[in-house]
Amino acid sequence: MGTWDIGPFDNDTAADFSYRIDEAPAERKAAVLLAAFRDVTETGEDYLDSDLAVEAVAAAALVAAQCPGGAPVTTSYGPKQPIPPLPAALRPAAVAALDRVLGKDSELLELWEESDGAAWKAGTEALRAVLASADA
C-alpha cells in the first residue's frame, strides 16, 4: 500500500476508490459507499484485508463530512464530483465498519501499529465519533 499521510484518502487504494465513486452516477454513490462498509462487516471473524479497510475508512469520511461536526473532504485525492446528500441510514453501517477496522484481526490497524500510527488511529476514532453522535 502506497501511503503518504494519515488522512482517509492519503493512500493509493483510497485514491483509486475515489475514482470509483466519481464514476458512479449520483443516484448510485450511496450504494458504492454502503458496499465498502459491507465488504468490511461481512468478513465476520476472518482477517480483514487492509485494502477493504482503507476503502471503508474513506467511505466513512465522506459520510461523516455530511454530519454535524464532520470535516469536509478537501484533499485532491478524494472524489472530484460532488457527493449528493447521503441517507442517514449509512451512518450505522459506517460505524460498524470502523469498529471492524479498529478491532482485532484488522491488517490496516496492524500496519499502522507497526509504525507511529497513533495519529491515524485518533483520526479514525474521531470519524467514528462524529458518525455515532449524528446517529444518536
Side-chain angles (χ1 to χ4, degrees):
M1 169 174 73
T3 301
W4 50 86
D5 209 344
I6 62 170
F9 286 94
D10 292 341
N11 59 77
D12 291 333
T13 301
D16 291 344
F17 179 64
S18 71
Y19 178 76
R20 283 202 339 254
I21 296 166
D22 279 337
E23 289 299 303
E27 67 274 6
R28 297 281 308 143
K29 290 186 190 304
V32 173
L33 303 181
L34 182 59
F37 300 142
R38 286 187 175 155
D39 286 346
V40 166
T41 58
E42 292 177 357
T43 61
E45 296 296 316
D46 295 338
Y47 192 69
L48 178 59
D49 180 79
S50 67
D51 286 344
L52 295 177
V54 161
E55 290 182 0
V57 172
L62 294 172
V63 176
Q66 294 187 6
C67 295
V73 175
T74 58
T75 177
S76 62
Y77 300 104
K80 309 287 186 265
Q81 303 300 317
I83 303 296
L86 297 169
L90 286 177
R91 295 172 188 166
V95 169
L98 291 179
D99 285 345
R100 181 74 172 92
V101 169
L102 293 167
K104 67 179 185 124
D105 295 326
S106 170
E107 181 183 25
L108 183 60
L109 179 62
E110 288 178 9
L111 290 169
W112 278 108
E113 286 178 340
E114 289 173 2
S115 63
D116 186 18
W120 172 85
K121 188 173 182 181
T124 304
E125 289 171 340
L127 277 179
R128 187 201 179 285
V130 165
L131 291 159
S133 67
D135 197 43

